[in-house]
Amino acid sequence: MTRATVDVARGARVVTLRVAAVIEETADARSLVFEVPDDAADRFAYRPGQFLTLRIPSDRPEPVARCYSLASSPFTGEPPRVTVKRTADGYGSNWLCDNISVGDTLDVLPPQGTFTPASLDTDLLLWAAGSGITPVMSILRSALVRGTGRVVLFYANRGQESVIFAEALRELVARHPGRVHVVHWLEAVQGLPTAAQLAAFAAPYASYESFVCGPGPFMAAVTEALTGAGWPRERITTEVFVSLSGDPFAEPAPIADEEAGDAAQVEVELDGVVHALRWPRSRTLVDVMLADGLDVPYSCREGECGSCACTVVDGAVSMGPSAILDQEDIDAGYTLACQARPTTDSVRIRF
């Protein structure tokens, strides 16, 4: 194992991207296509289903940052594209839909997220509702281009007019006959799907990997249907949309001498490299890694997105309540670096 120190300038994670195109998807959804500078190309390499964090211009006293999923595929040669759907009273989504034009720029954090298949050769059962189609579309496109498995998509919307990517989905079905099957569920016609209806739909695909994204009630219904039908937990992956209240773009405050005096020793394995750090008990692991110039994976710094999930290999940490990790995850040693603080004198962490 190699030990190294990485020297990264403060704020190096933040990249200003130019909007190369704006695509009107539906009456209340639009896609923003970004032009990535050559010197940032490596940092903006992404996996299907990941998201970008955007800083939204604002005259509010508090900062505004929002996470939007990538709808593009990293395997088709297209530039990265996020899709934004207006939400009622949503400052970020409405500002982007009302104000962004071609040539504008936005501050962006590199791609993050764990809503991505381990293998694109696996048979996939994809579930989406509303704008939840965005990361699912990235996975679907990528699986058809790079993978060998079959793909089934269940896509729920209120009505035909709210179906994002309707034409693109028709084209994918025509281009890949036999490999992809798309089923549209329209609330205006069929009502809300019940857990029993969802379970019946899933029954022929019991060996598939499931990925679920959409409003909370929809994801809860799908998860209930799958688990009730005996679907193994490890074959169900969900993505949760969150509105950030903090500022993931802000640099952490410098570590004071008195904080450094009460510190644990931590070894962090990141991208195959082990870094030895002092970890003050008053600071989160993300704060400590950023202060040391490490390119730590994170997006929200609020325990909401799961981008900084890591494994406690040795030692122990404390962490507040999390909607991302359940007790089974915690028992397996997972923690969130943006929430974790050491409770033992030495800790080993692996990302």
Side-chain angles (χ1 to χ4, degrees):
M1 193 68 66
T2 303
R3 296 183 182 274
T5 299
V6 179
D7 183 15
V8 178
R10 286 187 180 276
R13 281 176 52 83
V14 182
V15 179
T16 300
L17 299 184
R18 177 182 177 273
V19 177
V22 176
I23 303 169
E24 301 295 333
E25 304 288 359
T26 67
D28 59 359
R30 61 187 346 206
S31 292
L32 309 181
V33 180
F34 290 111
E35 183 180 289
V36 179
D38 290 342
D39 60 1
D42 289 346
R43 278 178 288 166
F44 277 81
Y46 64 96
R47 300 192 303 276
Q50 291 193 305
F51 60 85
L52 299 180
T53 303
L54 312 184
R55 177 153 48 198
I56 312 298
S58 170
D59 56 5
R60 295 180 169 192
E62 71 275 9
V64 179
R66 296 290 185 267
C67 300
Y68 293 104
S69 295
L70 288 149
S72 50
S73 167
F75 305 120
T76 60
E78 61 185 320
R81 174 173 67 171
V82 300
T83 301
V84 181
K85 182 179 180 180
R86 293 182 189 272
T87 58
D89 301 320
Y91 177 83
S93 62
N94 283 287
W95 193 95
L96 290 171
C97 286
D98 289 336
N99 294 283
I100 287 295
S101 300
V102 173
D104 291 341
T105 60
L106 289 168
D107 288 341
V108 182
L109 292 178
Q112 295 294 338
T114 58
F115 188 71
T116 182
S119 170
L120 293 174
D121 294 324
T122 303
D123 293 333
L124 299 173
L125 177 55
L126 308 178
W127 306 83
S131 59
I133 189 62
T134 307
V136 168
M137 192 66 169
S138 178
I139 294 171
L140 174 59
R141 285 171 163 152
S142 299
L144 293 176
V145 170
R146 184 58 63 94
T148 59
R150 292 165 293 180
V151 186
V152 174
L153 169 63
F154 181 100
Y155 186 17
N157 280 282
R158 290 181 178 177
Q160 186 64 47
E161 71 285 349
S162 60
V163 178
I164 304 173
F165 308 132
E167 182 58 32
L169 287 170
R170 284 192 289 269
E171 291 175 358
L172 287 173
V173 171
R175 195 180 310 145
H176 302 276
R179 280 199 62 203
V180 61
H181 177 51
V182 176
V183 172
H184 291 279
W185 184 285
L186 301 180
E187 180 184 340
V189 177
Q190 298 152 287
L192 290 171
T194 66
Q197 290 170 318
L198 296 170
F201 177 82
Y205 313 110
S207 63
Y208 286 39
E209 299 280 341
S210 261
F211 287 80
V212 191
C213 188
F218 172 79
M219 293 202 299
V222 173
T223 301
E224 176 189 346
L226 294 177
T227 54
W231 217 280
R233 176 182 175 278
E234 62 271 15
R235 287 202 282 113
I236 305 172
T237 303
T238 59
E239 178 74 316
V240 180
F241 290 143
V242 296
S243 290
L244 307 182
S245 58
D247 183 8
F249 291 85
E251 293 297 327
I255 295 173
D257 291 341
E258 56 268 26
E259 291 180 289
D262 180 25
Q265 186 70 28
V266 60
E267 289 191 349
V268 180
E269 182 181 338
L270 179 66
D271 296 329
V273 179
V274 175
H275 308 268
L277 308 172
R278 295 286 291 169
W279 186 359
R281 300 178 193 276
S282 60
R283 293 301 188 102
T284 69
L285 183 55
V286 164
D287 283 351
V288 170
M289 293 176 70
L290 287 174
D292 203 63
L294 298 181
D295 192 14
V296 55
Y298 76 91
S299 285
C300 73
R301 286 164 71 174
E302 298 175 8
E304 297 285 356
C305 73
S307 296
C308 65
C310 53
T311 305
V312 181
V313 179
D314 192 32
V317 303
S318 64
M319 185 187 71
S322 168
I324 297 297
L325 302 181
D326 58 26
Q327 192 57 49
E328 188 172 344
D329 294 322
I330 295 170
D331 292 342
Y334 290 104
T335 191
L336 298 177
C338 72
Q339 303 293 299
R341 292 174 171 83
T343 57
T344 55
D345 290 336
S346 63
V347 185
R348 285 198 297 135
I349 298 285
R350 179 184 300 123
F351 280 88

